[in-house]
Amino acid sequence: MNALAVSEPLIRGNWINALADTGWAVTHALVSPELAVQLRREAIDLHENGYLSRAGVGRAEDHALLSSIRRDKTKWLSRESAVQAAYLDVMEEVRLAVNSSLFMGLFSYEAHFAAYEPGAFYKRHMDAFKGARNRVLSSVFYLNEDWLAEDGGALAIYADETSTEIADVVVPELGTLVLFLSEDIPPEVLPANRDRYSIAGWFRV
């Protein structure tokens, strides 16, 4: 697939097969439109009221703010919000479905809102180091209405760690969910030209 190709969302059921075959899947089937709109409103409200913080790279003592690598702002989801809890419940269904079909042994899930302001990006990266097993399956759910190509902010997916060509491009449109293997599939968030909202999450073993 060339760099301009845009993935078509999968119907319910096909996303597990795609995940097994390629290491990533794109679907609209798992989160209801009503919940997507509620999550969008919550993300915008948190952003506009200053509750999101600059995201960094690395964990614990290795954590650092590196504007050359990523420029998004984030806030972890909490079950204290009914809307956020509803999304976490959907991801629990995803966890059970993946474990049942692909025997991945996923145990827990964490996620945060992410806001990319105009000019923000996240360079190509790996969500987990090979063999670390701290993050096994990544998820990104998009919260943007009426997103156009000129708005930028697409998710570029590379087929593996050594590939230099983009294998898939996902438009960050409201209701789109992307799943990919954290240790195998490098993602990249291309520069956004307007405020871009999403929920990034990781399943652990």
Side-chain angles (χ1 to χ4, degrees):
M1 187 174 292
N2 61 48
L4 298 179
V6 176
S7 66
E8 290 296 328
L10 298 168
I11 61 172
R12 184 178 296 275
N14 284 358
W15 62 272
I16 289 182
N17 294 333
L19 187 61
D21 292 342
T22 66
W24 74 88
V26 183
T27 179
H28 279 166
L30 300 180
V31 181
S32 71
E34 295 78 13
L35 179 56
V37 169
Q38 292 174 324
L39 289 163
R40 169 179 165 77
R41 291 171 181 162
E42 197 141 323
I44 292 173
D45 181 68
L46 290 169
H47 182 213
E48 291 182 345
N49 286 283
Y51 288 103
L52 275 65
S53 303
R54 275 284 311 281
V57 177
R59 299 179 68 86
E61 65 273 9
D62 295 323
H63 185 269
L65 297 177
L66 297 176
S67 296
S68 61
I69 297 176
R70 65 183 300 185
R71 296 185 182 179
D72 55 322
K73 296 180 178 181
T74 65
K75 186 180 190 306
W76 292 101
L77 267 63
S78 167
R79 285 194 171 274
E80 293 180 4
S81 159
V83 173
Q84 295 172 39
Y87 179 78
L88 293 173
D89 287 343
V90 173
M91 291 301 103
E92 173 64 8
E93 294 179 9
V94 170
R95 185 186 72 83
L96 295 174
V98 170
N99 283 348
S100 176
S101 299
L102 304 181
F103 309 104
M104 290 183 64
L106 304 179
F107 180 74
S108 64
Y109 179 75
E110 62 180 2
H112 61 57
F113 285 114
Y116 287 76
E117 296 168 345
F121 55 83
Y122 195 162
K123 295 287 190 180
R124 172 177 167 154
H125 61 282
M126 299 299 297
D127 275 3
F129 292 112
K130 203 76 168 178
R133 309 298 287 173
N134 61 326
R135 291 174 173 176
V136 179
L137 182 64
S138 300
S139 67
V140 188
F141 184 63
Y142 292 110
L143 305 172
N144 310 292
E145 291 182 329
D146 303 320
W147 198 264
L148 304 175
E150 54 263 36
D151 294 326
L155 180 72
I157 296 175
Y158 297 83
D160 55 54
E161 194 170 1
T162 63
S163 177
T164 58
E165 295 187 1
I166 296 174
D168 205 351
V169 175
V170 182
V171 177
E173 180 64 25
L174 181 70
T176 302
L177 177 67
V178 185
L179 298 163
F180 58 92
L181 299 178
S182 307
E183 297 181 359
D184 299 317
I185 305 297
E188 178 180 4
V189 179
L190 304 178
N193 297 321
R194 55 179 271 210
D195 285 345
R196 170 196 187 275
Y197 296 97
S198 62
I199 298 174
W202 300 271
F203 294 91
R204 300 175 178 274
V205 295

